[in-house]
Amino acid sequence: MAGLQQTNSEKILLSWVRQSTRNYPQVNVINFTSSWSDGLAFNALLHSHRPDLFDWNAVASQQSPVQRLDHAFNIARQHLGIEKLLDPEDIATACPDKKSIFMYVTSLFQVLPQQVTMEAIREVEMLPRHSRVTREEHIQVHHQQRFTQEVSCFTFLLSSCCSKVVVSLTYTISLVL
C-alpha cells in the first residue's frame, strides 16, 4: 500500500519532531497518526521551542487529550500565527488523519527553529516499519471501496432513467468525498 511508504519530507519532519521532543519522556513520536492523538506531542513540540508560553507539567498531567490538543492549537494560533486547522475531537482518536497532522506539523516547522541533525534522521530510518495494515486502515479502505461500489451501482441504475439526475448526483457525491 502506498500509504506505508515514508517520503523524505516525512522523515525530515519526523526527525525534527523527535529531536525537538527528546526531553519529554511522555512523548514518543513514531508516526503522523496515533503518536499525536493524546495532545502531548503537539504541546511538547511547542514547549521545546517556546517554554515561556506555558507550564508543561500543568498541561501534561491535568488535562484530557481533547483539552491538551485544544491548548496546543490555541497556543499556536495566538503566539505563532498558525490557524486552528484541526479539531481536537478529530485528532483524539485511535487513528487520526495522517495528512491533516502532517500538514499542521509542517506549519509548525515553518515558524519554529528547523535544525535537524543527521543523527535524528538516522534514528527515524531505524524505527520499525509497519509491514501490515492496521485494522483501522483496513476498515477505512474497505468502507471507501464499498461506498464507491454502491455509488457506481446507484449511478448505473439511474443512468437508464435520467442522465441529468445522474450528473447532478455524481457531482454532489464527489464534492462530499
Side-chain angles (χ1 to χ4, degrees), residues 79-174:
H79 298 281
L80 303 176
I82 297 173
E83 288 302 315
K84 193 174 175 180
L85 303 171
L86 305 175
D87 289 324
E89 294 79 12
D90 293 337
I91 305 301
T93 64
C95 194
D97 182 60
K98 178 182 178 178
K99 290 178 183 177
S100 298
I101 292 175
F102 184 78
M103 176 198 61
Y104 191 82
V105 175
T106 299
S107 298
L108 292 172
F109 182 76
Q110 291 172 342
V111 299
L112 294 171
Q114 303 170 357
Q115 300 167 343
V116 180
T117 65
M118 285 306 295
E119 178 187 347
I121 293 172
R122 279 193 285 281
E123 181 181 288
V124 165
E125 290 175 344
M126 300 304 291
L127 288 173
R129 287 282 196 226
H130 297 290
S131 58
R132 297 183 328 192
V133 177
T134 65
R135 183 174 186 276
E136 290 82 10
E137 289 172 326
H138 176 74
I139 290 170
Q140 184 178 13
V141 168
H142 176 72
H143 285 305
Q144 288 172 344
Q145 289 171 344
R146 198 171 110 224
F147 181 75
T148 301
Q149 290 170 347
E150 290 171 2
V151 169
S152 298
C153 181
F154 183 68
T155 303
F156 176 75
L157 291 173
L158 285 178
S159 65
S160 62
C161 298
C162 179
S163 61
K164 290 182 181 179
V165 172
V166 172
V167 171
S168 176
L169 285 173
T170 304
Y171 181 71
T172 304
I173 291 170
S174 296

